[in-house]
């Protein structure tokens, strides 16, 4: 299970502005798209907070990669895991030592409670990811991804639910665990069936959200 947790904007403001000593221990780092940020082979024991951009957490075995999670603004991650961290777009992170971060949490116990809740959500999401890879075909894994994206960031319109994924076909394929060609084919099938409309390269209109829910329910 990746060591990921999420801080809300309020938590971030509380942590950095109410604890100036803690703030000075963080170092800002910037990474370009597709840059490998951390690998399992590094001995650094660090914690970082995503300030902007998006990162992918994944495992790699020979020529196969398994995406475990996406990190976005407010997400917190530690580097002492067997996972790789890659920037999916231009990204800024704030980095400090694990010991320093632990000391800050000891001074701010309310943030520890927030993180306990997030770790529970992460465990649930990790189990869902494993179940999907083990028991579902690619089409159903994509359906799960689209439903999750619609729930997280979908905007309901008279035409359907607009989802700004912020991800291209290649990135979606990495998350779902398949090839870009396969994802493109399935999305085109959904478009031909009248379930999806491609607004631009990273934005979809889900016209029949209930149809996707039925696919998941009866899978």
């Amino acid at each position: 299970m990746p060591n990921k947790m999420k801080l809300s904007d309020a938590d971030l403001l509380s942590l950095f502005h109410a604890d100036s000593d803690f703030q000075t221990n963080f170092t800002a780092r910037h990474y370009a798209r597709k840059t490998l940020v951390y690998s399992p082979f590094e001995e650094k024991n660090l914690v970082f907070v995503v300030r902007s951009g998006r990162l992918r957490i994944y495992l790699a075995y020979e020529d196969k990669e398994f995406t475990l999670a996406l990190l976005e603004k407010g997400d917190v991650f530690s580097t002492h895991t067997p996972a790789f961290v890659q920037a999916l777009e231009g990204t800024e992170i704030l980095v400090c030592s694990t010991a320093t971060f632990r000391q800050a949490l000891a001074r701010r116990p309310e943030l520890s409670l927030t993180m306990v809740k997030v770790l529970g959500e992460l465990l649930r999401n990790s189990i869902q990811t494993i179940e999907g890879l083990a028991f579902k075909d690619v089409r159903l894994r994509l359906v799960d991804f689209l439903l999750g994206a619609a729930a997280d960031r979908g905007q309901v319109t008279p035409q359907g639910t607009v989802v700004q994924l912020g991800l291209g076909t290649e990135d979606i394929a990495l998350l779902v665990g398949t090839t870009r060609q396969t994802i493109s084919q399935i999305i085109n099938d959904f478009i031909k069936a009248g379930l999806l409309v491609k607004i631009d390269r990273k934005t979809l209109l889900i016209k029949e959200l209930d149809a996707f829910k039925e696919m998941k329910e009866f899978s």
Side-chain angles (χ1 to χ4, degrees), residues 46-93:
L46 304 173
V47 170
F48 65 84
V49 182
V50 182
R51 193 167 191 176
S52 65
R54 186 176 293 179
L55 300 161
R56 179 171 73 105
I57 308 301
Y58 67 97
L59 300 176
Y61 298 100
E62 296 180 353
D63 61 340
K64 295 182 179 180
E65 295 181 0
F66 301 92
T67 299
L68 300 178
L70 287 183
L71 305 183
E72 299 179 315
K73 179 182 177 182
D75 283 336
V76 183
F77 195 79
S78 60
T79 62
H80 57 285
T81 72
F84 292 84
V85 183
Q86 180 190 44
L88 289 180
E89 57 190 53
T91 299
E92 179 183 4
I93 63 174

Side-chain angles (χ1 to χ4, degrees), residues 25-39:
N25 289 302
F26 271 86
T27 301
R29 296 180 183 176
H30 298 82
Y31 297 92
R33 182 177 182 270
K34 296 301 182 182
T35 301
L36 184 63
V37 178
Y38 292 108
S39 77

Side-chain angles (χ1 to χ4, degrees), residues 5 17 144 146 168 172 176 181 215-216:
M5 18 186 155
H17 294 288
D144 280 344
L146 293 174
I172 296 173
V176 174
Q181 292 82 358
M215 290 182 199
K216 180 176 181 178

